[in-house]
Amino acid sequence: MSETILEIKNINRTYKDEDNIVEALKDINFSIKKGEFVSIIGSSGCGKTTLLRLIAGLDKAQSGEILLDGEKITAPDPKRGYVFQQGSLFEWLTVQNNIAAGLKARHIYKENKHKVAEYIDLIGLNGFEKAYPHQISGGMAQRVAIARALINDPEVLLLDEPMGALDSFTRADIQDKLLEIRKTNNATMILVTHDIDEALYLSDRIVIMTPRPGKISEVVDVAIPHPRHRGGTEFLAGRKKLLERFHLASAQPQPEYNI
Amino acid sequence: MSEIEKTTEGIKTKEKPDGFDKKFIWVILFTIVGFAAAIAANLLIPQISEDVKIEIYQVGSIYATMNNAYTWVLIALIVLYLGIGIFSAFKKERRKKYRSRAPFRFAVGIALALWDLLGTKLQTLPQPFFPGPAGIIEAFLIEGDYILQNTLYSLRLFSVGFLLGVVVGVGTGILIGWFPKVYYWVSPVLNITGVIPAVAWMPFALTLFPTPFSAAAFLIVICTWFPVASLTASGIKSTPKAKFEAARTLGGKTPYLVFHVAIPHAMPQIFTGIETANAFSFTTLVMAEMMGQPGGLGYYINASKVWSAYYKVFAAIVVMAVLFSLITWAVGLVKARVLRWQRGLLK
């Protein structure tokens, strides 16, 4: 657990936006240990997705470097699986072929054919192997996207608000799925989200970012033991603490309601 | 797949189970009674106009007049619709489709009967421009094998030109869509030459190519190439960035991005291009054949017109209608197969 897998060193990223220079990320330093679940939260525009894209190799920083196992990240690689917000599945492929896409792209499909069925099992989509993306629900589609990234055995799984567009029941369902996967695969996961509950429910550490310029304002350790209960005392206390960080919780105690 | 379909259509099929519906016999009868009336009109009404000579032709070992042949065609239509009717009788969806077409088919039969009356029996329609249905069929009795020869010539010309045009069109479309440099240099050329009707190149093509066949094939290639190339290019260019990014994080390199992301994404538009090109190429085919080909249905129309044999012109038109419909239908089948992932998506 203590071995560092990912190091982010002095990252700066600016964008030119019609004459203005926007500092999307400023002096980001952070490292993640093997097997850790880290969430990055913050309001929109704080650069959390930019940071995740840099880790994926989909974007380049002006200065600084990101190291995976001591190796500098320059381009996308299946070692860093990426789950997008929505609509990244290939509509022209069935569920099973979407999951197999990574194996096919890397020309290792034949020797790994059996893995496709394993991952369909893992995400619980048996019976939907031959369905096309438009025939399944949004929650199912995101599970397929997760399996598609996982089949490459990534060292780090990058999750870019994968549950952002889902209803709260489906969201909770996928969150539990992620914890289950984490248990079995011992995968390192980095989740970008704007949902405090989600971050608290899943993470070992929560990175709080603030915008203009995008930087890390605080890193919070979450010590609540698994399995966590969304209504548990520790959880609610942690939630309140986080809300206060964002100045969202009122200082005055609210009257209690029976609901 | 089947499970999903069950969930969406299960309710419908449970309400009214499939099986033979006795009332449907009336629908089948209604469909074929029009054609039966056409047969009755041909057999029972005597030839009134004296300008029509009923000649006897030999087809293989059978001797037939144009009225015999016309009756056979009507019988064949009756057998066909009877067959489709029986085939459709056991499935609710098919019954619905058959039922919806019954009034039209009935009307076709009645129209044929009237046409036979006015075109052949009474000859009230201006002759020789508007022959009766039997007169058109007479063309096949006189020179059926010659019409077949010309049909095959057209088919061969079309196949060579159209298939080559699609291949070249998709190829250039991919290059234009993928490489910005190719887009810069080629797309203006495509846009300017694309609006020129392909047949305008005919004199040029005839001198440049060794045979009239290859010259006409070239014209069909050109007219197919333009819509296919421009729609392929736009399909490739419109591929969302997220799809490419997803493919790259999965380990896909450039060939994978082109062949497994951009092209499949462009496929619906490629087929829109192919269908447009299909319609264009029929026009080009017939016009090219009318302008200096040694054969083909267009050539046959021209040759028949010179002798005022308008019934032969109509015969060629009927063959075209059937041939081009079959080709369009075949293209549709290929499209449905390739784009099966879209089924249920657009409706």
Side-chain angles (χ1 to χ4, degrees):
Chain A
M1 273 299 266
S2 59
E3 191 191 335
T4 298
I5 188 165
L6 192 81
E7 276 179 278
I8 301 165
K9 291 180 176 172
N10 304 317
I11 286 289
N12 283 289
R13 179 75 175 93
T14 55
Y15 288 110
K16 262 185 206 149
D17 169 28
E18 301 175 14
D19 306 331
N20 297 326
I21 290 175
V22 182
E23 286 188 293
L25 292 171
K26 192 172 161 67
D27 297 329
I28 304 289
N29 281 289
F30 191 67
S31 62
I32 290 165
K33 296 188 203 81
K34 203 172 169 74
E36 213 178 1
F37 197 117
V38 174
S39 288
I40 306 171
I41 60 173
S43 56
S44 55
C46 70
K48 53 190 192 298
T49 293
T50 309
L51 183 58
L52 202 69
R53 288 174 60 85
L54 287 169
I55 299 171
L58 289 170
D59 199 350
K60 285 199 169 70
Q62 268 86 10
S63 67
E65 54 182 10
I66 302 177
L67 307 173
L68 179 76
D69 285 331
E71 236 175 279
K72 196 177 166 183
I73 290 166
T74 53
D77 192 283
K79 275 185 202 165
R80 282 157 279 127
Y82 201 105
V83 181
F84 293 81
Q85 280 192 21
Q86 239 191 350
S88 74
L89 290 187
F90 303 130
E91 293 96 341
W92 49 90
L93 296 181
T94 57
V95 163
Q96 61 181 6
N97 285 336
N98 260 292
I99 293 174
L103 301 176
K104 285 182 178 164
R106 294 161 66 208
H107 309 289
I108 53 165
Y109 176 65
K110 271 188 187 150
E111 53 272 38
N112 291 292
K113 240 180 189 166
H114 60 279
K115 286 178 79 179
V116 177
E118 284 169 26
Y119 279 90
I120 285 171
D121 260 355
L122 179 75
I123 56 165
L125 278 186
N126 308 76
F128 291 95
E129 292 90 344
K130 295 208 161 84
Y132 286 98
H134 73 87
Q135 296 172 315
I136 59 178
S137 70
M140 287 177 177
Q142 284 310 75
R143 283 194 265 166
V144 173
I146 292 168
R148 184 175 71 166
L150 281 175
I151 204 166
N152 280 327
D153 293 321
E155 291 182 41
V156 183
L157 185 65
L158 307 170
L159 302 147
D160 183 7
E161 294 186 42
M163 294 149 278
L166 304 176
D167 63 84
S168 48
F169 299 107
T170 317
R171 194 182 294 196
D173 178 43
I174 294 186
Q175 286 165 0
D176 288 332
K177 203 44 125 184
L178 280 174
L179 287 180
E180 191 189 315
I181 290 165
R182 195 194 160 199
K183 228 179 186 174
T184 47
N185 293 30
N186 199 27
T188 311
M189 298 190 187
I190 306 173
L191 169 73
V192 159
T193 182
H194 48 235
D195 182 342
I196 288 172
D197 286 1
E198 184 170 280
L200 198 60
Y201 187 68
L202 295 169
S203 325
D204 299 322
R205 278 196 292 164
I206 298 173
V207 176
I208 299 170
M209 291 184 71
T210 48
R212 286 179 294 276
K215 58 181 199 302
I216 296 175
S217 75
E218 197 176 349
V219 179
V220 180
D221 282 303
V222 185
I224 310 168
H226 287 279
R228 293 172 183 170
H229 298 285
R230 290 186 172 87
T233 344
E234 281 174 302
F235 192 89
L236 292 178
R239 184 170 192 267
K240 186 155 185 285
K241 220 162 94 184
L242 279 173
L243 285 171
E244 278 164 8
R245 296 288 201 295
F246 287 96
H247 311 290
L248 287 171
S250 64
Q252 295 291 320
Q254 296 287 321
E256 274 180 40
Y257 296 103
N258 289 320
I259 43 170
Chain B
M1 190 67 152
S2 58
E3 283 193 21
I4 300 150
E5 278 170 5
K6 262 181 224 158
T7 54
T8 52
E9 289 179 22
I11 309 155
K12 272 188 228 158
T13 42
K14 265 176 204 166
E15 274 176 0
K16 283 179 189 171
D18 288 331
F20 190 73
D21 181 0
K22 273 183 188 166
K23 280 182 218 153
F24 193 66
I25 293 169
W26 294 105
V27 181
I28 299 176
L29 283 178
F30 176 53
T31 302
I32 60 178
V33 78
F35 298 104
I39 293 177
N42 187 263
L43 292 180
L44 302 177
I45 297 170
Q47 182 63 42
I48 296 162
S49 164
E50 285 169 8
D51 294 337
V52 178
K53 284 196 186 80
I54 307 289
E55 289 183 48
I56 299 169
Y57 302 95
Q58 191 183 355
V59 185
S61 55
I62 305 161
Y63 293 89
T65 64
M66 66 177 194
N67 281 328
N68 295 142
Y70 171 58
T71 329
W72 296 339
V73 170
L74 289 172
I75 290 171
L77 284 173
I78 289 177
V79 170
L80 177 74
Y81 290 127
L82 201 61
I84 297 175
I86 292 165
F87 173 74
S88 306
F90 298 91
K91 274 247 158 60
K92 193 181 164 252
E93 280 303 304
R94 291 195 191 123
R95 277 205 298 269
K96 201 176 152 194
K97 196 169 159 188
Y98 189 87
R99 186 176 287 124
S100 74
R101 290 176 181 184
F104 184 81
R105 285 168 182 167
F106 171 78
V108 169
I110 300 301
L112 281 172
L114 284 175
W115 183 15
D116 188 27
L117 215 64
L118 300 176
T120 311
K121 303 281 182 190
L122 298 167
Q123 286 221 327
T124 36
L125 291 174
Q127 298 300 326
F129 308 106
F130 298 103
I136 293 169
I137 284 166
E138 193 174 18
F140 295 100
L141 289 174
I142 298 168
E143 45 187 24
D145 47 351
Y146 186 53
I147 295 174
L148 181 68
Q149 252 177 45
N150 284 303
T151 308
L152 291 178
Y153 185 93
S154 287
L155 188 61
R156 200 157 60 91
L157 187 54
F158 175 82
S159 309
V160 170
F162 185 64
L163 293 177
L164 209 61
V166 167
V167 170
V168 176
V170 170
T172 38
I174 291 167
L175 294 174
I176 294 168
W178 189 261
F179 298 105
K181 279 240 166 80
V182 179
Y183 176 79
Y184 178 85
W185 292 107
V186 179
S187 66
V189 180
L190 185 74
N191 288 335
I192 291 166
T193 53
V195 294
I196 304 167
V199 278
W201 300 103
M202 191 59 174
F204 172 71
L206 279 174
T207 51
L208 203 72
F209 284 86
T211 58
F213 182 87
S214 51
F218 168 74
L219 297 186
I220 298 171
V221 168
I222 287 190
C223 85
T224 309
W225 173 73
F226 170 67
V228 174
S230 62
L231 278 151
T232 303
S234 101
I236 300 265
K237 281 174 84 75
S238 68
T239 311
K241 220 174 118 202
K243 307 276 179 213
F244 289 130
E245 290 186 338
R248 284 167 69 208
T249 59
L250 291 171
K253 303 284 174 239
T254 307
Y256 187 85
L257 301 188
V258 176
F259 293 102
H260 294 275
V261 181
I263 294 177
H265 177 268
M267 224 23 125
Q269 275 190 281
I270 292 177
F271 269 97
T272 308
I274 289 175
E275 282 174 331
T276 314
N278 194 27
F280 279 178
S281 56
F282 291 146
T283 314
T284 308
L285 172 77
V286 176
M287 285 181 79
E289 282 173 349
M290 286 177 152
M291 286 171 75
Q293 287 295 308
L297 291 166
Y299 162 81
Y300 181 79
I301 286 180
N302 254 3
S304 307
K305 188 190 71 185
V306 174
W307 298 98
S308 292
Y310 287 95
Y311 65 104
K312 290 184 182 176
V313 173
F314 275 108
I317 288 170
V318 169
V319 173
M320 275 181 201
V322 173
L323 181 67
F324 296 165
S325 299
L326 284 176
I327 292 170
T328 308
W329 174 73
V331 170
L333 275 191
V334 175
K335 180 185 170 184
R337 176 84 187 92
V338 175
L339 298 182
R340 62 192 180 283
W341 56 271
Q342 278 196 325
R343 209 170 296 155
L345 187 64
L346 315 162
K347 251 175 199 176

